[in-house]
C-alpha cells in the first residue's frame, strides 16, 4: 500500500534552519510529482512546494520562495524540504503528499505529518 | 492571482440533512477544482477531483458540481462520520500553483 512517512520536525528558533524528510513506499516514486502542504489550526491548509517526478522542476508558494527548497532522491524514494530563515508564521504541521493527474494536481495520498514549531 | 472564497465557514445540521458548501473563484478556472475532507488530527482526504469526479471508494452521498467561477459541494444525507472540515482547492498549471479555500467546519446538531 502507498505510504509516506515524514520526519525531521521539531522546535527551532526564528532565523534558523530545519530539514524535513519523507520516505515513501508502495508506488513508483519516480513516476509522480510530490508536494509539501502545511496545516495550521488557525489558517487551514497551505500548499508549500512541489517537485516534478524527475526532480527537474520545482515550484513554490510565494510565502516560502527563496527560503525553502524542495528536492528528491529517486534512488531512495525520498523527498526533502530544506527550510531556511524560519519565521514564526512557518509553524505548522507539514505533510508530504503524492500528486497525480494533470500537473500532479490531485493530492491523493498524504503522510501523517510532522510538526514544526518556530519559537524563541 | 486567483483567489478563492468558501462559504459558510461553519455549519451545523441534523443527521440525514442535505448540506451544501460553495467555493467561488475570482476568475474562470474551468473545472480545475478539487474537494478534500479533513478530520481532527488526520491528514486530508481527496473526495472529488475536477469539480465533479468522485474518487474511488468515496460514498456517493458526496457530490460536486460547477465550472468557471462557481462550485458547489454537497453531502446529500449527512452522517455522523462526516463531521470534519471540508476544503476546496483550485489548481493552476502555468506555472503550477495550488490554492486551498479557507475551509468549512461541518458539525451535527
Amino acid at each position: 500500500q502507498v505510504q509516506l512517512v515524514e520526519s525531521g520536525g521539531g522546535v527551532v528558533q526564528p532565523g534558523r534552519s530545519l530539514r524535513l524528510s519523507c520516505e515513501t513506499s508502495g508506488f513508483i516514486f519516480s513516476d509522480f510529482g510530490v508536494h509539501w502542504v502545511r496545516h495550521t489550526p488557525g489558517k487551514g491548509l497551505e500548499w508549500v512546494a512541489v517537485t516534478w517526478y524527475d526532480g527537474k522542476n520545482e515550484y513554490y508558494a510565494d510565502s516560502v520562495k527563496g527560503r525553502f527548497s524542495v528536492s528528491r532522491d529517486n534512488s531512495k524514494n525520498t523527498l526533502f524540504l530544506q527550510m531556511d530563515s524560519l519565521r514564526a508564521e512557518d509553524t505548522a504541521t507539514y505533510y508530504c503528499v503524492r500528486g497525480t493527474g494533470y500537473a500532479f494536481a490531485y493530492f491523493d495520498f498524504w503522510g501523517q505529518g510532522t510538526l514544526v514549531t518556530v519559537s524563541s | 492571482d486567483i483567489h478563492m472564497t468558501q462559504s459558510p465557514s461553519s455549519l451545523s445540521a441534523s443527521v440525514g440533512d442535505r448540506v451544501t458548501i460553495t467555493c467561488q473563484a475570482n476568475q474562470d478556472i474551468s473545472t480545475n477544482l478539487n474537494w478534500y475532507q479533513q478530520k481532527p488530527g488526520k491528514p486530508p482526504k481527496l473526495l472529488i477531483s475536477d469539480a465533479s469526479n468522485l474518487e474511488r471508494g468515496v460514498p456517493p452521498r458526496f457530490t460536486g458540481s460547477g465550472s468557471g467561477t462557481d462550485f458547489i459541494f454537497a453531502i446529500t444525507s449527512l452522517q455522523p462520520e462526516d463531521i470534519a472540515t471540508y476544503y476546496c482547492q483550485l489548481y493552476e498549471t502555468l506555472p503550477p500553483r495550488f490554492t486551498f479555500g479557507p475551509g468549512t467546519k461541518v458539525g451535527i446538531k
Side-chain angles (χ1 to χ4, degrees):
Chain A
Q1 71 279 24
V2 174
Q3 286 193 311
L4 303 99
V5 180
E6 304 92 340
S7 61
V11 180
V12 61
Q13 293 179 329
R16 302 298 291 265
S17 299
L18 204 61
R19 181 176 167 90
L20 305 183
S21 300
C22 172
E23 296 185 11
T24 73
S25 59
F27 65 102
I28 302 173
F29 184 66
S30 57
D31 281 353
F32 292 86
V34 198
H35 304 259
W36 289 100
V37 176
R38 63 188 182 186
H39 175 259
T40 57
K43 294 195 297 184
L45 295 169
E46 181 184 16
W47 171 75
V48 173
V50 62
T51 174
W52 242 228
Y53 64 98
D54 56 2
K56 292 184 178 178
N57 293 286
E58 306 146 21
Y59 302 94
Y60 298 91
D62 289 344
S63 58
V64 306
K65 201 173 293 183
R67 300 188 299 122
F68 290 14
S69 177
V70 62
S71 61
R72 62 192 295 160
D73 184 340
N74 282 353
S75 68
K76 296 182 178 178
N77 299 329
T78 302
L79 177 73
F80 304 99
L81 184 68
Q82 178 66 40
M83 304 186 293
D84 298 326
S85 303
L86 281 161
R87 305 168 180 167
E89 54 265 36
D90 297 318
T91 294
T93 296
Y94 285 73
Y95 293 102
C96 170
V97 188
R98 191 181 84 166
T100 190
Y102 185 63
F104 305 112
Y106 314 147
F107 297 1
D108 66 346
F109 283 94
W110 298 62
Q112 290 301 307
T114 187
L115 179 62
V116 173
T117 302
V118 184
S119 173
S120 53
Chain B
D1 288 3
I2 303 178
H3 299 285
M4 300 294 299
T5 57
Q6 184 176 342
S7 61
S9 57
S10 65
L11 65 88
S12 187
S14 300
V15 173
D17 282 354
R18 177 182 176 87
V19 164
T20 59
I21 298 168
T22 63
C23 265
Q24 188 169 53
N26 65 344
Q27 57 184 277
D28 191 336
I29 60 168
S30 184
T31 55
N32 293 359
L33 187 104
N34 305 323
W35 291 95
Y36 297 82
Q37 174 194 65
Q38 186 176 27
K39 297 183 178 180
K42 298 291 186 181
K45 176 184 177 182
L46 177 62
L47 300 180
I48 290 171
S49 59
D50 288 339
S52 61
N53 296 329
L54 195 66
E55 291 297 299
R56 188 180 303 175
V58 175
R61 66 178 181 274
F62 296 100
T63 67
S65 63
S67 66
T69 60
D70 297 295
F71 301 86
I72 296 174
F73 171 85
I75 307 172
T76 57
S77 176
L78 186 67
Q79 300 301 304
E81 60 266 31
D82 300 336
I83 302 313
T85 299
Y86 293 84
Y87 295 92
C88 58
Q89 173 230 340
L90 77 90
Y91 63 91
E92 304 167 69
T93 57
L94 293 171
R97 186 194 297 257
F98 309 88
T99 307
F100 288 92
T104 297
K105 189 172 184 179
V106 173
I108 296 280
K109 276 184 187 173

